[in-house]
Amino acid sequence: MTNTILEIKHLKKAFGQNLVLKDISMTVKKGEVISIIGSSGSGKSTFLRSINLLEIPSEGEILYHGKNVLTKGYDLTTYREKLGMVFQSFNLFDNLNVLENAIVAQTTVLKRSRTEAEQIAKENLNKVGMTEQYWTAKPSQLSGGQKQRVAIARALSVHPEVILFDEPTSALDPEMVGEVLKTMQDLAKSGLTMIIVTHEMEFARDVSDRVIFMDKGLIAEEGSPQQIFENPQKARTKEFLQRFLGHTP
């Protein structure tokens, strides 16, 4: 059990009468890269946002190292610090430059010294290819791909145990998608635990340890990339992949 970071049990999420997540259970182990695929409206983003409590689940449990974070009195700040999040719309502070964007959460939330925060931010910006020449630029001076790489560096800088990616390439021009996926591929190789909602099927196939196909608020099928992409068992999975890949798996 020691290498299990998250255990999600019977998670449900309703918005009014609309049950978006119907009953989801999954386990996340240290170093795993999990891709979540599925049609629009299948509940993928809501699931991701429920894991880090941007949406509070209606029912179920989220166990972080064996403790249920939804229990009254649980220290949610610490839990949220351990889960980095990269959004499709970057969510950078427009009034801060690149370096400050990667520093601010470290000094305000983690109370790191300015010197330490700056050093960590620079290391992570370099890691994602946003080198010194970009550090004083404001987000408005960057391309979409560059903004997303800054957002990834910012997430890395708080040293999370898991990073959640919510369709990180969906707001990008096609030629910028590759640079962000390459950055994420390098992170996967480095052993970072990642949960990725994505519509980039080749990326999901090449980088993931496990692929989850969501349909209508449920996990319809999960397995290794080989199993899901080459030999899916469920008719819905086959139908979805046929639409995306242009041929029957």
PDB file of all heavy atoms in Angstrom, residues 7 24 37 44 48 71 89-90 98 118 130 135 138-139 145 151-152 157 159 161 164 168 178 190-191 208 234 240-241:
ATOM      1  N   GLU A   7      -6.587   7.180  -3.464  1.00  0.00           N
ATOM      2  CA  GLU A   7      -7.586   6.148  -3.685  1.00  0.00           C
ATOM      3  C   GLU A   7      -8.935   6.848  -3.741  1.00  0.00           C
ATOM      4  O   GLU A   7      -9.323   7.527  -2.783  1.00  0.00           O
ATOM      5  CB  GLU A   7      -7.565   5.185  -2.505  1.00  0.00           C
ATOM      6  CG  GLU A   7      -7.442   3.742  -2.896  1.00  0.00           C
ATOM      7  CD  GLU A   7      -7.398   2.874  -1.654  1.00  0.00           C
ATOM      8  OE1 GLU A   7      -6.721   3.239  -0.681  1.00  0.00           O
ATOM      9  OE2 GLU A   7      -8.082   1.845  -1.675  1.00  0.00           O
ATOM     10  N   ILE A  24     -17.432   6.671  -9.420  1.00  0.00           N
ATOM     11  CA  ILE A  24     -16.088   6.480  -9.964  1.00  0.00           C
ATOM     12  C   ILE A  24     -15.127   6.052  -8.862  1.00  0.00           C
ATOM     13  O   ILE A  24     -15.058   6.680  -7.804  1.00  0.00           O
ATOM     14  CB  ILE A  24     -15.588   7.781 -10.625  1.00  0.00           C
ATOM     15  CG1 ILE A  24     -16.450   8.041 -11.851  1.00  0.00           C
ATOM     16  CG2 ILE A  24     -14.123   7.684 -11.001  1.00  0.00           C
ATOM     17  CD1 ILE A  24     -15.917   9.030 -12.807  1.00  0.00           C
ATOM     18  N   ILE A  37      -9.487   9.679 -21.199  1.00  0.00           N
ATOM     19  CA  ILE A  37     -10.014  10.065 -22.506  1.00  0.00           C
ATOM     20  C   ILE A  37     -11.534   9.879 -22.505  1.00  0.00           C
ATOM     21  O   ILE A  37     -12.084   9.221 -21.627  1.00  0.00           O
ATOM     22  CB  ILE A  37      -9.359   9.249 -23.649  1.00  0.00           C
ATOM     23  CG1 ILE A  37      -9.639   7.745 -23.479  1.00  0.00           C
ATOM     24  CG2 ILE A  37      -7.853   9.499 -23.703  1.00  0.00           C
ATOM     25  CD1 ILE A  37      -9.199   6.876 -24.669  1.00  0.00           C
ATOM     26  N   LYS A  44     -14.967  14.100 -17.647  1.00  0.00           N
ATOM     27  CA  LYS A  44     -13.514  14.024 -17.409  1.00  0.00           C
ATOM     28  C   LYS A  44     -13.000  15.205 -16.583  1.00  0.00           C
ATOM     29  O   LYS A  44     -12.317  15.032 -15.580  1.00  0.00           O
ATOM     30  CB  LYS A  44     -12.741  13.984 -18.742  1.00  0.00           C
ATOM     31  CG  LYS A  44     -13.180  12.931 -19.712  1.00  0.00           C
ATOM     32  CD  LYS A  44     -12.339  12.913 -20.980  1.00  0.00           C
ATOM     33  CE  LYS A  44     -12.298  14.207 -21.759  1.00  0.00           C
ATOM     34  NZ  LYS A  44     -13.566  14.573 -22.412  1.00  0.00           N
ATOM     35  N   LEU A  48     -11.515  15.481 -12.683  1.00  0.00           N
ATOM     36  CA  LEU A  48     -10.215  16.045 -12.315  1.00  0.00           C
ATOM     37  C   LEU A  48     -10.382  17.150 -11.272  1.00  0.00           C
ATOM     38  O   LEU A  48      -9.651  17.214 -10.284  1.00  0.00           O
ATOM     39  CB  LEU A  48      -9.543  16.606 -13.573  1.00  0.00           C
ATOM     40  CG  LEU A  48      -8.019  16.578 -13.598  1.00  0.00           C
ATOM     41  CD1 LEU A  48      -7.505  15.150 -13.532  1.00  0.00           C
ATOM     42  CD2 LEU A  48      -7.491  17.239 -14.863  1.00  0.00           C
ATOM     43  N   THR A  71     -13.202  14.295   5.043  1.00  0.00           N
ATOM     44  CA  THR A  71     -13.633  14.257   6.445  1.00  0.00           C
ATOM     45  C   THR A  71     -13.577  15.657   7.035  1.00  0.00           C
ATOM     46  O   THR A  71     -12.652  16.423   6.761  1.00  0.00           O
ATOM     47  CB  THR A  71     -12.687  13.345   7.271  1.00  0.00           C
ATOM     48  OG1 THR A  71     -12.440  12.171   6.533  1.00  0.00           O
ATOM     49  CG2 THR A  71     -13.285  12.987   8.611  1.00  0.00           C
ATOM     50  N   SER A  89      -6.618  26.858 -19.842  1.00  0.00           N
ATOM     51  CA  SER A  89      -6.539  28.299 -20.130  1.00  0.00           C
ATOM     52  C   SER A  89      -5.373  28.989 -19.409  1.00  0.00           C
ATOM     53  O   SER A  89      -5.403  30.190 -19.178  1.00  0.00           O
ATOM     54  CB  SER A  89      -7.855  28.966 -19.751  1.00  0.00           C
ATOM     55  OG  SER A  89      -8.144  28.655 -18.394  1.00  0.00           O
ATOM     56  N   PHE A  90      -4.365  28.217 -18.996  1.00  0.00           N
ATOM     57  CA  PHE A  90      -3.098  28.692 -18.409  1.00  0.00           C
ATOM     58  C   PHE A  90      -3.250  29.270 -16.989  1.00  0.00           C
ATOM     59  O   PHE A  90      -2.470  28.977 -16.107  1.00  0.00           O
ATOM     60  CB  PHE A  90      -2.364  29.728 -19.292  1.00  0.00           C
ATOM     61  CG  PHE A  90      -2.490  29.480 -20.768  1.00  0.00           C
ATOM     62  CD1 PHE A  90      -2.974  30.460 -21.632  1.00  0.00           C
ATOM     63  CD2 PHE A  90      -2.131  28.254 -21.316  1.00  0.00           C
ATOM     64  CE1 PHE A  90      -3.105  30.225 -22.993  1.00  0.00           C
ATOM     65  CE2 PHE A  90      -2.249  28.003 -22.674  1.00  0.00           C
ATOM     66  CZ  PHE A  90      -2.737  28.998 -23.510  1.00  0.00           C
ATOM     67  N   VAL A  98       7.098  36.233 -16.044  1.00  0.00           N
ATOM     68  CA  VAL A  98       7.226  34.773 -16.044  1.00  0.00           C
ATOM     69  C   VAL A  98       7.808  34.261 -14.721  1.00  0.00           C
ATOM     70  O   VAL A  98       7.265  33.347 -14.088  1.00  0.00           O
ATOM     71  CB  VAL A  98       8.108  34.330 -17.242  1.00  0.00           C
ATOM     72  CG1 VAL A  98       8.606  32.905 -17.083  1.00  0.00           C
ATOM     73  CG2 VAL A  98       7.318  34.475 -18.551  1.00  0.00           C
ATOM     74  N   GLU A 118      12.939  31.657  -5.715  1.00  0.00           N
ATOM     75  CA  GLU A 118      13.490  32.104  -7.004  1.00  0.00           C
ATOM     76  C   GLU A 118      14.351  31.006  -7.626  1.00  0.00           C
ATOM     77  O   GLU A 118      14.254  30.728  -8.819  1.00  0.00           O
ATOM     78  CB  GLU A 118      14.320  33.376  -6.778  1.00  0.00           C
ATOM     79  CG  GLU A 118      14.476  34.187  -8.034  1.00  0.00           C
ATOM     80  CD  GLU A 118      15.042  35.581  -7.741  1.00  0.00           C
ATOM     81  OE1 GLU A 118      14.411  36.361  -6.993  1.00  0.00           O
ATOM     82  OE2 GLU A 118      16.122  35.853  -8.275  1.00  0.00           O
ATOM     83  N   MET A 130      11.811  27.281 -20.720  1.00  0.00           N
ATOM     84  CA  MET A 130      11.576  28.727 -20.619  1.00  0.00           C
ATOM     85  C   MET A 130      12.784  29.340 -19.916  1.00  0.00           C
ATOM     86  O   MET A 130      12.768  29.615 -18.711  1.00  0.00           O
ATOM     87  CB  MET A 130      10.269  29.009 -19.867  1.00  0.00           C
ATOM     88  CG  MET A 130       9.031  28.529 -20.612  1.00  0.00           C
ATOM     89  SD  MET A 130       8.860  29.250 -22.260  1.00  0.00           S
ATOM     90  CE  MET A 130       8.390  30.922 -21.848  1.00  0.00           C
ATOM     91  N   TRP A 135      12.316  35.310 -18.662  1.00  0.00           N
ATOM     92  CA  TRP A 135      11.890  35.488 -17.272  1.00  0.00           C
ATOM     93  C   TRP A 135      11.233  36.837 -16.981  1.00  0.00           C
ATOM     94  O   TRP A 135      10.385  36.938 -16.119  1.00  0.00           O
ATOM     95  CB  TRP A 135      13.062  35.261 -16.308  1.00  0.00           C
ATOM     96  CG  TRP A 135      13.545  33.834 -16.320  1.00  0.00           C
ATOM     97  CD1 TRP A 135      12.931  32.761 -16.884  1.00  0.00           C
ATOM     98  CD2 TRP A 135      14.767  33.332 -15.757  1.00  0.00           C
ATOM     99  NE1 TRP A 135      13.676  31.614 -16.715  1.00  0.00           N
ATOM    100  CE2 TRP A 135      14.812  31.929 -16.028  1.00  0.00           C
ATOM    101  CE3 TRP A 135      15.829  33.922 -15.069  1.00  0.00           C
ATOM    102  CZ2 TRP A 135      15.874  31.129 -15.607  1.00  0.00           C
ATOM    103  CZ3 TRP A 135      16.880  33.116 -14.649  1.00  0.00           C
ATOM    104  CH2 TRP A 135      16.898  31.739 -14.917  1.00  0.00           C
ATOM    105  N   LYS A 138       6.050  39.382 -19.783  1.00  0.00           N
ATOM    106  CA  LYS A 138       4.695  39.230 -19.225  1.00  0.00           C
ATOM    107  C   LYS A 138       3.953  38.195 -20.071  1.00  0.00           C
ATOM    108  O   LYS A 138       4.282  38.005 -21.255  1.00  0.00           O
ATOM    109  CB  LYS A 138       3.949  40.580 -19.296  1.00  0.00           C
ATOM    110  CG  LYS A 138       4.509  41.671 -18.371  1.00  0.00           C
ATOM    111  CD  LYS A 138       3.934  41.499 -16.971  1.00  0.00           C
ATOM    112  CE  LYS A 138       4.496  42.479 -15.956  1.00  0.00           C
ATOM    113  NZ  LYS A 138       4.129  43.858 -16.190  1.00  0.00           N
ATOM    114  N   PRO A 139       2.930  37.534 -19.506  1.00  0.00           N
ATOM    115  CA  PRO A 139       2.196  36.523 -20.280  1.00  0.00           C
ATOM    116  C   PRO A 139       1.713  37.019 -21.650  1.00  0.00           C
ATOM    117  O   PRO A 139       1.710  36.263 -22.625  1.00  0.00           O
ATOM    118  CB  PRO A 139       1.018  36.183 -19.368  1.00  0.00           C
ATOM    119  CG  PRO A 139       1.579  36.368 -17.982  1.00  0.00           C
ATOM    120  CD  PRO A 139       2.485  37.566 -18.100  1.00  0.00           C
ATOM    121  N   GLY A 145       1.852  28.214 -26.339  1.00  0.00           N
ATOM    122  CA  GLY A 145       2.706  27.098 -25.905  1.00  0.00           C
ATOM    123  C   GLY A 145       3.654  27.524 -24.795  1.00  0.00           C
ATOM    124  O   GLY A 145       3.895  26.780 -23.837  1.00  0.00           O
ATOM    125  N   ALA A 151       3.054  27.690 -17.001  1.00  0.00           N
ATOM    126  CA  ALA A 151       2.060  27.132 -16.065  1.00  0.00           C
ATOM    127  C   ALA A 151       2.538  25.782 -15.514  1.00  0.00           C
ATOM    128  O   ALA A 151       2.357  25.487 -14.329  1.00  0.00           O
ATOM    129  CB  ALA A 151       0.715  26.976 -16.764  1.00  0.00           C
ATOM    130  N   ILE A 152       3.188  24.994 -16.354  1.00  0.00           N
ATOM    131  CA  ILE A 152       3.717  23.698 -15.895  1.00  0.00           C
ATOM    132  C   ILE A 152       4.864  23.931 -14.906  1.00  0.00           C
ATOM    133  O   ILE A 152       4.932  23.285 -13.857  1.00  0.00           O
ATOM    134  CB  ILE A 152       4.175  22.833 -17.094  1.00  0.00           C
ATOM    135  CG1 ILE A 152       2.952  22.411 -17.931  1.00  0.00           C
ATOM    136  CG2 ILE A 152       4.944  21.604 -16.626  1.00  0.00           C
ATOM    137  CD1 ILE A 152       3.282  21.749 -19.263  1.00  0.00           C
ATOM    138  N   SER A 157       6.892  23.918  -9.299  1.00  0.00           N
ATOM    139  CA  SER A 157       7.662  24.670  -8.294  1.00  0.00           C
ATOM    140  C   SER A 157       7.153  24.501  -6.867  1.00  0.00           C
ATOM    141  O   SER A 157       7.871  24.794  -5.918  1.00  0.00           O
ATOM    142  CB  SER A 157       7.708  26.160  -8.661  1.00  0.00           C
ATOM    143  OG  SER A 157       8.484  26.324  -9.830  1.00  0.00           O
ATOM    144  N   HIS A 159       6.510  21.620  -5.755  1.00  0.00           N
ATOM    145  CA  HIS A 159       6.886  20.229  -5.479  1.00  0.00           C
ATOM    146  C   HIS A 159       5.684  19.352  -5.147  1.00  0.00           C
ATOM    147  O   HIS A 159       5.628  18.728  -4.087  1.00  0.00           O
ATOM    148  CB  HIS A 159       7.910  20.162  -4.326  1.00  0.00           C
ATOM    149  CG  HIS A 159       9.224  20.765  -4.686  1.00  0.00           C
ATOM    150  ND1 HIS A 159      10.081  21.309  -3.756  1.00  0.00           N
ATOM    151  CD2 HIS A 159       9.827  20.931  -5.888  1.00  0.00           C
ATOM    152  CE1 HIS A 159      11.154  21.787  -4.365  1.00  0.00           C
ATOM    153  NE2 HIS A 159      11.014  21.569  -5.657  1.00  0.00           N
ATOM    154  N   GLU A 161       3.020  16.170  -5.299  1.00  0.00           N
ATOM    155  CA  GLU A 161       3.194  14.716  -5.436  1.00  0.00           C
ATOM    156  C   GLU A 161       2.544  14.220  -6.712  1.00  0.00           C
ATOM    157  O   GLU A 161       2.943  13.212  -7.278  1.00  0.00           O
ATOM    158  CB  GLU A 161       2.545  14.025  -4.236  1.00  0.00           C
ATOM    159  CG  GLU A 161       3.567  13.430  -3.311  1.00  0.00           C
ATOM    160  CD  GLU A 161       2.931  12.532  -2.274  1.00  0.00           C
ATOM    161  OE1 GLU A 161       2.200  13.045  -1.434  1.00  0.00           O
ATOM    162  OE2 GLU A 161       3.195  11.329  -2.325  1.00  0.00           O
ATOM    163  N   LEU A 164      -2.126  17.340 -11.981  1.00  0.00           N
ATOM    164  CA  LEU A 164      -3.327  17.093 -12.772  1.00  0.00           C
ATOM    165  C   LEU A 164      -3.299  18.032 -13.979  1.00  0.00           C
ATOM    166  O   LEU A 164      -3.102  19.234 -13.820  1.00  0.00           O
ATOM    167  CB  LEU A 164      -4.574  17.380 -11.930  1.00  0.00           C
ATOM    168  CG  LEU A 164      -4.627  16.755 -10.531  1.00  0.00           C
ATOM    169  CD1 LEU A 164      -5.868  17.237  -9.787  1.00  0.00           C
ATOM    170  CD2 LEU A 164      -4.626  15.241 -10.606  1.00  0.00           C
ATOM    171  N   PRO A 168      -4.437  20.154 -21.391  1.00  0.00           N
ATOM    172  CA  PRO A 168      -3.439  21.229 -21.425  1.00  0.00           C
ATOM    173  C   PRO A 168      -3.119  21.774 -22.807  1.00  0.00           C
ATOM    174  O   PRO A 168      -2.521  22.832 -22.935  1.00  0.00           O
ATOM    175  CB  PRO A 168      -2.198  20.583 -20.806  1.00  0.00           C
ATOM    176  CG  PRO A 168      -2.395  19.123 -21.019  1.00  0.00           C
ATOM    177  CD  PRO A 168      -3.865  18.877 -20.948  1.00  0.00           C
ATOM    178  N   GLY A 178       2.825  20.361 -29.924  1.00  0.00           N
ATOM    179  CA  GLY A 178       3.992  19.473 -29.830  1.00  0.00           C
ATOM    180  C   GLY A 178       4.952  19.859 -28.728  1.00  0.00           C
ATOM    181  O   GLY A 178       5.437  19.001 -27.982  1.00  0.00           O
ATOM    182  N   SER A 190      10.639  11.419 -16.089  1.00  0.00           N
ATOM    183  CA  SER A 190      11.360  11.736 -14.848  1.00  0.00           C
ATOM    184  C   SER A 190      10.714  11.089 -13.627  1.00  0.00           C
ATOM    185  O   SER A 190      11.203  11.200 -12.513  1.00  0.00           O
ATOM    186  CB  SER A 190      11.428  13.261 -14.645  1.00  0.00           C
ATOM    187  OG  SER A 190      10.166  13.743 -14.197  1.00  0.00           O
ATOM    188  N   GLY A 191       9.566  10.408 -13.828  1.00  0.00           N
ATOM    189  CA  GLY A 191       8.945   9.693 -12.712  1.00  0.00           C
ATOM    190  C   GLY A 191       7.870  10.470 -11.980  1.00  0.00           C
ATOM    191  O   GLY A 191       7.376  10.049 -10.934  1.00  0.00           O
ATOM    192  N   SER A 208       1.343   6.990 -21.420  1.00  0.00           N
ATOM    193  CA  SER A 208       0.615   6.534 -20.222  1.00  0.00           C
ATOM    194  C   SER A 208       1.020   5.134 -19.772  1.00  0.00           C
ATOM    195  O   SER A 208       1.372   4.283 -20.578  1.00  0.00           O
ATOM    196  CB  SER A 208      -0.890   6.500 -20.493  1.00  0.00           C
ATOM    197  OG  SER A 208      -1.285   7.658 -21.144  1.00  0.00           O
ATOM    198  N   LYS A 234     -15.102  -2.800 -24.931  1.00  0.00           N
ATOM    199  CA  LYS A 234     -16.469  -2.271 -24.924  1.00  0.00           C
ATOM    200  C   LYS A 234     -16.797  -1.590 -26.256  1.00  0.00           C
ATOM    201  O   LYS A 234     -15.955  -0.909 -26.850  1.00  0.00           O
ATOM    202  CB  LYS A 234     -16.623  -1.223 -23.796  1.00  0.00           C
ATOM    203  CG  LYS A 234     -16.296  -1.754 -22.403  1.00  0.00           C
ATOM    204  CD  LYS A 234     -17.470  -2.547 -21.860  1.00  0.00           C
ATOM    205  CE  LYS A 234     -17.152  -3.236 -20.557  1.00  0.00           C
ATOM    206  NZ  LYS A 234     -16.967  -2.380 -19.420  1.00  0.00           N
ATOM    207  N   PHE A 240     -15.732   5.323 -29.922  1.00  0.00           N
ATOM    208  CA  PHE A 240     -15.027   6.571 -29.629  1.00  0.00           C
ATOM    209  C   PHE A 240     -13.671   6.607 -30.339  1.00  0.00           C
ATOM    210  O   PHE A 240     -13.318   7.584 -30.996  1.00  0.00           O
ATOM    211  CB  PHE A 240     -14.835   6.720 -28.112  1.00  0.00           C
ATOM    212  CG  PHE A 240     -13.916   7.855 -27.723  1.00  0.00           C
ATOM    213  CD1 PHE A 240     -14.369   9.170 -27.730  1.00  0.00           C
ATOM    214  CD2 PHE A 240     -12.598   7.618 -27.368  1.00  0.00           C
ATOM    215  CE1 PHE A 240     -13.523  10.220 -27.392  1.00  0.00           C
ATOM    216  CE2 PHE A 240     -11.740   8.662 -27.029  1.00  0.00           C
ATOM    217  CZ  PHE A 240     -12.212   9.959 -27.040  1.00  0.00           C
ATOM    218  N   LEU A 241     -12.914   5.531 -30.226  1.00  0.00           N
ATOM    219  CA  LEU A 241     -11.576   5.493 -30.830  1.00  0.00           C
ATOM    220  C   LEU A 241     -11.653   5.510 -32.350  1.00  0.00           C
ATOM    221  O   LEU A 241     -10.815   6.116 -33.009  1.00  0.00           O
ATOM    222  CB  LEU A 241     -10.809   4.260 -30.349  1.00  0.00           C
ATOM    223  CG  LEU A 241     -10.383   4.320 -28.879  1.00  0.00           C
ATOM    224  CD1 LEU A 241      -9.810   2.988 -28.437  1.00  0.00           C
ATOM    225  CD2 LEU A 241      -9.368   5.434 -28.636  1.00  0.00           C
TER     226      LEU A 241
END
